[in-house]
Amino acid sequence: ADPHDEKLDLCTFRRPGLVNGFSYLFQLWLSRHQRSRDFLHTQVNSLRVSCPTSENIPFQIDGDYGGTLPVEIKTLPGRLRLLTAARTRVS
């Protein structure tokens, strides 16, 4: 992801299911997922996550409760500044 392009990098796998999930997990562990035909990477400005069969499914944000589906996620240009600390040498 490029922190300066103001886009979200969306990475998904095409096939659902437990067996495919374990296969994808193994590919991720070996850092070979990007070579998979089932791997899709795209950049978006916004996305909506929902469940077609049910509403009010809980989701997490960094491990904490974030609310229930559906949820909309979008970029807000210029809202996040990343600062890097200069390294100083101590003698």
Side-chain angles (χ1 to χ4, degrees):
D2 181 352
H4 303 290
D5 67 6
E6 298 182 346
K7 295 203 182 276
L8 297 170
D9 285 76
L10 179 63
C11 300
T12 59
F13 291 100
R14 297 182 194 278
R15 294 189 231 181
L18 188 61
V19 173
N20 289 321
F22 279 118
S23 173
Y24 298 148
L25 181 62
F26 189 67
Q27 291 173 27
L28 285 164
W29 186 61
L30 295 175
S31 297
R32 295 185 179 175
H33 57 285
Q34 293 180 335
R35 295 185 223 161
S36 171
R37 285 182 265 161
D38 290 342
F39 179 77
L40 177 64
H41 172 250
T42 189
Q43 291 185 310
V44 297
N45 291 319
S46 65
L47 65 102
R48 177 182 168 90
V49 180
S50 63
C51 179
T53 59
S54 180
E55 295 288 320
N56 300 322
I57 296 174
F59 66 90
Q60 295 181 6
I61 299 174
D62 198 23
D64 294 323
Y65 177 77
T68 58
L69 295 183
V71 62
E72 293 188 35
I73 303 166
K74 63 182 177 177
T75 60
L76 297 173
R79 292 295 179 119
L80 176 64
R81 292 186 187 164
L82 301 175
L83 304 174
T84 58
R87 293 183 182 212
T88 57
R89 190 172 188 176
V90 178
S91 300

